[in-house]
Amino acid sequence: MSIIHHEPPFSASQLQQRSLAAVWHPCTQMKQHETYPLVPIVSGQGVWLYDADGNRYLDAIASWWVNLFGHANPTINAAICDQLEKIEHVMLAGFTHEPVVTLSERLKNIAPGALGHCFYASDGASAIEIALKMSFHYWLLCGQPQKNGFISLKNDYHGETLGALSVTDVAIFRETYAPLLRPCTHVPTPDWRYAATGESPRDFALRAATALENHLAKHHAQTAALILEPLVQGAAGMGMYHPVYLQRAREICDRYQVHLIADEIAVGFGRTGTLFACNQANIAPDFLCLSKGLSGGYLPLSAVMTTDQVFQAFYDDKTAQAFLHSHSHTGNALACRAALASLDIFERDRVIESNKTKAAYLNSIAAPLASHPKVRNFRNCGMIWAFEVETDDADFAARCFQAGLKQQILLRPLGKTVYFMPPYIINEQEMDWLVEGTLKVLDAI
Ligand SMILES: *Cc1c(COP(=O)(O)O)cnc(C)c1O
């Protein structure tokens, strides 16, 4: 039997047309596809995606920030195939299985602090809903039902279901649905792009922390939790901030009896240079939300980790006092095995250390980008790079995406912010390709 790769039994244009007729694509004005064609992907290998015409693209944004160890990773593929022979999925109420138990134990061992109780869902937004509900419910069980408000950072993104959108502050996602959302205070962001001239990132972060303190001094009695994206505000355009903010936020939340929810859905699993972003501030949240890279980016899986103190408040003879939240695919066995394989790779390949060398290499070759006349605020945190492009083009993001494809690079700017979030298996040659291609993109548009 012969299998011919990259020559599928359909043409690219057929697949594009069928997709536009039958698939409502996410985060997309479908009419724009009258101008911009869809890219029909048929396979992937390492950092590369291959389309139906045989073109390849370097996946510089890890397929929406999820992929850690490349496409078709042999270790993760093997783990999923092995699990497939055993049990693909079983409900997690009344049942348990080895992959979900082992994953919970291993996450507990590597997470900051003492987050020994792991609750599962299938996507990031659901993890946020769970953390918000658990926090509120905890205070209710403690006889403080008035603690039902949430605060988040200006420009934060936490997903797009209604609860998650309530604590999100990205206008394009939020404004249309504002009448459906719960009020939420967005306290000043520590993102240093907004610092005054001459003000250091650290001083700016401390100033933002003072604003948080002033808010909670007045409103802590009505506040269940502060939720934030630690160190990097992704959807806001990879806004980066000094870890001192997290230290101060932890102290302030403790002082005012407010939970701290760390949304590490995007930044967890090594993105910021440490396994978790919270590690850089040496703090532990009350709730840690994980998804995206949790399964190596392979399968939909999310988790909310919390403390004994929270868990014990729900532990009672009364069913109604339990956390009755559920999702059909909670703790999916295939996704848990993918996650375990991903954790194996972290250990086997000493990924956190090797990423430091890779990041240093990319920084060493990025000087022409950082000093490009159109580039502002070139910045790096761990395995994330970002910069703003000086342009009047309202269609910049779409044009940059198209120009990127011509250079065989998948770039998907957030407004005028171009960023790289490559899979960690990227090698030096591929980093050269990425930087040189991006320079050509900037010169082309
Ligand atoms: C992506 C993301 C989410 C939402 O995750 P989904 O799986 O897309 O629902 C929440 N918070 C942050 C910080 C994210 O980057």
Side-chain angles (χ1 to χ4, degrees), residues 65 123-125 128 157-159 229 263 265-266 291-292:
W65 323 352
D123 56 68
I128 299 297
Y157 177 88
H158 299 291
E229 297 179 76
D263 175 355
I265 289 166
S291 188
K292 291 200 164 106

Side-chain angles (χ1 to χ4, degrees), residues 107-122:
L107 288 175
K108 171 184 175 172
N109 288 339
I110 58 177
L115 301 173
H117 304 276
C118 208
F119 194 99
Y120 290 91
S122 334

Side-chain angles (χ1 to χ4, degrees), residues 83-96:
Q83 186 58 40
L84 211 40
E85 299 290 322
K86 295 174 177 149
I87 176 75
E88 76 298 329
H89 179 73
V90 61
M91 63 189 287
L92 200 60
F95 294 86
T96 193

Side-chain angles (χ1 to χ4, degrees), residues 34 42 48 61 72 79 112 177 188 204 221 240 305 340 351 353 355 388 398 421 427:
E34 289 177 6
V42 291
W48 298 99
I61 63 162
Y177 307 102
F204 185 63
M240 298 180 185
M305 302 182 68
L340 287 167
V351 169
E353 281 103 288
N355 279 356
E388 276 72 55
M421 242 161 115
N427 64 31

